[in-house]
Amino acid sequence: MTTPSMLTRKPKRLTIRWRSIIVHGFLIVGALVMIYPLLWLASSSLKPANLIFSDLSLWPSKIRLQNYVDGWRGAALPFSSFFLNSFIVSGLAVVGNVFACSMVAYAFARLNFVFKRTLFALMMLTIMLPLHATLIPQYALFYNLGWVNTFLPLTVPKFLAVDSFFIFLMVQFIRGIPRELDEAAVIDGAGPIRIYWSVILPLLTPALVTTAVFSFIWTYEDFLSPLVYLTSMDLYTVPQGLSLLMSSKGASSWGPLLAMSLLSLVPLFVVFFVFQRRLIEGIATSGLKG
Amino acid sequence: MSTTLSGTASLESATAPEARPRRHKAVGINARQNGAAFLFLAPWLIGLVFLTLGPILASFYLSLTRYDMFTPPQWLGLDNYVKMFAEDGRYYQSLRVTFTYVFLSVPLKLAFALGIAMLLNRGLKGLGFYRSVYYLPSLLGGSVAVAIMWRQVFAYDGIINQILLKFGIDGPSWITSTDYALYTLVALAVWQFGSPMVIFLAGLKQIPQDIYDAAEVDGAGPVRKFFSVTLPLLTPIIFFNFVMQIIGAFQAFTPAYIISGGKGGPADATLFYTLYLYEQAFTNFQMGYASAMAWVLVAIIGLATTLSFQSARYWVHYGDER
């Protein structure tokens, strides 16, 4: 705020302070409402079954860690198996997206080739394309390749840069990297592969981190693809494990179910707290849906 | 405004790749350049052909057949489409559910996102903290765990009803009631207003303070400033958020699946389009019919997007038009 406007506002100062207290009050109440369900989840996961729905207080009067022990055992297989599967699939998705999308983005941002405009337009169109448009033929394809009930349908597409949103994100980022750096490398005798690897990739790190973080979150949360492709229980990911626990145990075991639900969110909380700034910047600059 | 107003503007500049390709290069892109470029593009091109373009065409063909995965498709012509619109009551129900969901959740979500973003944009202390807390739900919201949590929150003996009971109100069984089940899903979507809020915040930051100062000199109050400065300058962002949310909302699946136990119940009250499509394809193995449904969904989303873009010229103001 500039000095002159400060001067004219001086008599209003008191009301401005009151207004800011009201705004803070409102925002704090709103924030509490927003995270109340999550706090309730955390506290209920520690309560004995008879208290989950009768004790409103967030601080459990009796703590029952047994919920976690029972939940971890899962419906038929323990959650260690579901978590391991989820981490394998999400980890591969991260690696695939980071490398494949950055290669394509480098080509679009820096290299010249035939049909560039057409291919770029196609790439932009695929961002908008709903998943269901390709779901069934993809299933038929993977079925005929014998890939159903393996991790391949969930991971191979990432290595083929199917998530074109990340390509777009990286193209935008590479355009901001000064071309002089490439040109200097060309003078040093570097070809496109060297330039990609030693000039562009290191400078692209922020966009790569954003891509990695969102790839992890989306793959880890994804329910539809595992539901369609993974049929044997030992390949189930965490969301399927939760769904299984929910349908098999029914109302008798809310405690263990809520305990595992909370536990399944822990990797997301960790990613959120470590990469908060990248996440928020990523959304703000590119409109990622998060 | 010289700097781009975040998302939409950068989307636009992106649709015109390489502002102006240098003439002499455009004339003769040599074989070596092509070779190098296509080396980098290879994985994506394989994906484009086999996982995107091929499947889209295949899905159109399958939509004209009866197909169960195990026997070769049988030609039906337009029968699937006719059946969908003329005979299938559940199909209409799924349309009704999905449209209700989209038309309720998207405007509400955007209203909350804009409202809170405006409050946060006053240079408050603790902005980072508030932004994180309000954003968190939209990060977790797509997960099965949150859907399970939501189911409990709105259960007959869940916290919503316990709080209502304190005020002497005996709440309904939200999740199992045909009147309310869909609205719990709308509430779950609205709860995730964080990501459009973050985009709004970035957009609000781009509005130069001088415009507000000038408006103030002209005697504009806060309401007038909102309607004459903030809202018009923010229309590109509102538009962008609107389109993205619409596209996303039509495809909602996980929460409806978990909260209704995979069936779209009670009595099809939460039979989302995608849920019905999934059921037809992977439970009934009516892959041809499901493909036809997928094509209609693509058409609906395409139409909604086109209409939005068409309407944009009447209400979206781009800063550099003057």
Side-chain angles (χ1 to χ4, degrees), chain B residues 49-71:
Chain B
V49 171
F50 290 102
L51 298 178
T52 309
L53 296 183
I56 289 176
L57 295 177
S59 138
F60 182 63
Y61 166 70
L62 289 177
S63 80
L64 303 171
T65 66
R66 183 199 311 279
Y67 182 49
D68 63 2
M69 283 288 306
F70 309 108
T71 47

Side-chain angles (χ1 to χ4, degrees), chain B residues 186-244:
Chain B
V186 171
L188 176 55
V190 176
W191 183 59
Q192 299 167 45
F193 66 78
S195 65
M197 178 200 76
V198 169
I199 300 172
F200 277 135
L201 257 177
L204 285 168
K205 285 223 174 70
Q206 303 272 334
I207 301 178
Q209 183 62 36
D210 343 351
I211 304 186
Y212 287 114
D213 291 345
E216 208 160 301
V217 169
D218 290 346
V223 177
R224 186 69 204 277
K225 274 193 281 185
F226 175 74
F227 284 106
S228 305
V229 179
T230 313
L231 214 50
L233 287 178
L234 216 54
T235 46
I237 314 277
I238 297 176
F239 174 66
F240 174 78
N241 271 334
F242 180 75
V243 172
M244 295 309 277

Side-chain angles (χ1 to χ4, degrees), chain B residues 51 96-97 167 175 193 197 225 248 272 318:
Chain B
L51 298 178
R96 196 157 37 232
V97 166
F167 297 97
I175 298 291
F193 66 78
M197 178 200 76
K225 274 193 281 185
F272 277 56
Y318 287 102

